[in-house]
Amino acid sequence: MDNHTYVAIMAGGVGSRFWPASREDKPKQFLDIAGDGRSLLRMTFERFLKLTSADKIYIVTNARYKDLVLEHIPEIDAGQVLCEPSRNNTAPCVAYTAFKLHNLDPEANFVIAPSDALIVNDGLFAANINKALRFTAENDALVTLGISPDAPHTGYGYIQFIDEQTGTEDVYRVKRFTEKPDLETAQSFLSSGDYLWNAGIFIWRAKTILDAYEQYAPEIYALLSQGLNYYNTEEEQSFIDEFYPQTPSISVDYAIMENARNIYTIPAQFGWSDLGAWGALYHETEKDPDGNVLSGNIITEDTHNSYIRGPQGKLVVVGGVDDLLIIDEGDVLLVYPRNREQEIKALRAKAEAEHGERYV
């Protein structure tokens, strides 16, 4: 195990498409979505213990979730929780992490990944990450794990790679990143064989990614490089509180990955879902003989292909319906067609507009 290996887990999102289970004060990364008693954040942390020790795992989150993070991961200390004062998308988040780790260890080689993905094969996942870390340790490379697609999914971004040897097995140069396509385009990607899903899992040395920011995202670099004397000191948080909100709200994909030339990918297949919405959870979970996924105390009659979730201590009885999402959180009950799950984010916004923050 390389002592320059670090992990950063991004856990600041609000999971609006998982409403009404995911709320502002307890978003989906803190929920036991998989039903095994562990939150998604906890599962992600345990997965990364296969790569490095707990003292080298950092959590990047919104300041309001700091105590929740420490509650779910008691093995880390408060200094390992990077608290963002504002939600500015992933580019500032990655830059902040890179500055902090580079300040701590100029040789830092790190993985940065979302906290809310579902991964079936942890061993294969760790093997792929280790391969990437070996490559980035020896090369000025920005590496992303690409997931070999098994369907023309329109909810994921795609990575096109060039099938030529880089001298390292299974590491390929990236030709381009593509945002979420329409169905026809996604089908053409699938049949071409040189496209992968973008899992948002990145591996690089802190110095390599900071060089990329200096070149392609100079505004973010200029703002956060002013904290070089403050990272990993008691002044870090007050510096971040002042300067971080000034950074542009942009994803690392747009800011860096679509511009940099030294990008590589490792095609992987370890049973991955980004759990972006309820349908992904339905898809990944074992069904009963009627095609239903039931979570809670549920009775069904003549009900098929539905995801039904009820709160503790409540009996939910459902009959004569098909293809529904039924999510009962006690104070909010959502009943909606499963094939229109992408509308839930807008429904959440509507609930907030009409009732304030009480139900979000």
Side-chain angles (χ1 to χ4, degrees):
M1 197 179 279
D2 185 350
N3 61 356
H4 296 298
T5 296
Y6 298 82
V7 170
I9 300 169
M10 295 180 282
V14 75
S16 52
R17 285 179 296 166
F18 260 96
W19 184 77
S22 186
R23 302 290 182 94
E24 279 284 351
D25 57 1
K26 195 173 186 181
K28 71 171 178 179
Q29 58 269 32
F30 300 104
L31 303 178
D32 174 15
I33 291 279
D36 75 348
R38 296 178 298 163
S39 64
L40 288 169
L41 175 61
R42 180 74 211 175
M43 290 169 77
T44 305
F45 172 76
E46 289 180 11
R47 189 177 301 127
F48 279 120
L49 287 175
K50 291 179 164 60
L51 291 169
T52 194
S53 50
D55 63 317
K56 288 188 163 65
I57 299 178
Y58 289 74
I59 312 296
V60 195
T61 190
N62 191 273
R64 69 187 294 180
Y65 304 136
K66 182 177 185 176
D67 291 343
L68 262 180
V69 167
L70 293 169
E71 188 184 308
H72 283 245
I73 311 176
E75 296 94 327
I76 66 173
D77 65 40
Q80 288 165 259
V81 184
L82 284 69
C83 293
E84 303 166 308
S86 57
R87 289 193 173 108
N88 289 25
N89 214 319
T90 52
C93 158
V94 169
Y96 172 22
T97 307
F99 273 116
K100 182 176 173 70
L101 291 180
H102 188 260
N103 177 286
L104 190 71
D105 175 0
E107 295 296 309
N109 192 18
F110 74 99
V111 187
I112 188 157
S115 58
D116 52 6
L118 191 66
I119 287 167
V120 176
N121 189 328
D122 285 358
L124 200 53
F125 174 77
N128 277 288
I129 297 275
N130 276 320
K131 188 181 293 181
L133 286 163
R134 286 193 294 273
F135 188 76
T136 54
E138 293 168 10
N139 299 277
D140 286 331
L142 308 175
V143 176
T144 176
L145 285 196
I147 308 299
S148 303
D150 56 14
H153 205 297
T154 57
Y156 299 150
Y158 284 74
I159 301 161
Q160 186 181 21
F161 66 96
I162 301 167
D163 193 354
E164 61 183 41
Q165 282 307 308
T166 56
T168 304
E169 188 191 357
D170 296 334
V171 179
Y172 299 94
R173 189 177 277 278
V174 169
K175 189 174 180 182
R176 67 180 180 129
F177 279 77
T178 305
E179 286 304 300
K180 298 168 184 176
D182 59 30
L183 187 59
E184 196 179 333
T185 309
Q187 281 164 336
S188 74
F189 287 174
L190 195 64
S191 55
S192 76
D194 60 352
Y195 280 86
L196 304 165
W197 287 333
N198 178 9
I201 300 167
F202 302 109
I203 303 96
W204 40 47
R205 268 182 296 142
K207 183 181 186 319
T208 310
I209 187 63
L210 288 174
D211 288 347
Y213 271 90
E214 192 169 16
Q215 189 170 355
Y216 301 111
E219 189 182 350
I220 296 174
Y221 185 90
L223 279 162
L224 297 183
S225 62
Q226 294 174 67
L228 293 177
N229 294 329
Y230 305 116
Y231 293 116
N232 304 301
T233 73
E234 286 179 5
E235 281 84 51
E236 177 180 328
Q237 194 62 53
S238 54
F239 166 78
I240 286 296
D241 287 348
E242 182 179 348
F243 287 91
Y244 192 91
Q246 299 173 39
T247 59
S249 181
I250 184 172
S251 72
V252 70
D253 301 68
Y254 274 130
I256 305 296
M257 306 308 277
E258 290 188 5
N259 298 305
R261 304 270 69 92
N262 54 333
I263 299 182
Y264 297 83
T265 190
I266 295 177
Q269 193 54 279
F270 36 68
W272 171 87
S273 169
D274 82 335
L275 286 191
W278 288 110
L281 184 60
Y282 173 83
H283 182 68
E284 296 292 336
T285 311
E286 208 172 312
K287 324 280 185 288
D288 71 8
D290 292 318
N292 299 311
V293 174
L294 308 176
S295 174
N297 200 1
I298 319 286
I299 294 175
T300 60
E301 182 64 43
D302 186 27
T303 296
H304 306 88
N305 306 322
S306 295
Y307 184 96
I308 306 169
R309 175 186 171 102
Q312 272 187 330
K314 186 173 189 175
L315 176 64
V316 177
V317 184
V318 179
V321 296
D322 296 332
D323 303 304
L324 285 182
L325 290 171
I326 301 174
I327 317 293
D328 187 344
E329 288 295 318
D331 61 341
V332 179
L333 169 64
L334 175 86
V335 181
Y336 218 66
R338 200 162 55 79
N339 64 358
R340 291 169 60 185
E341 60 160 11
Q342 296 298 332
E343 298 171 21
I344 288 175
K345 188 173 184 176
L347 287 172
R348 177 187 180 274
K350 189 175 181 181
E352 184 172 18
E354 294 183 15
H355 296 280
E357 292 183 1
R358 180 179 172 189
Y359 296 116
V360 299

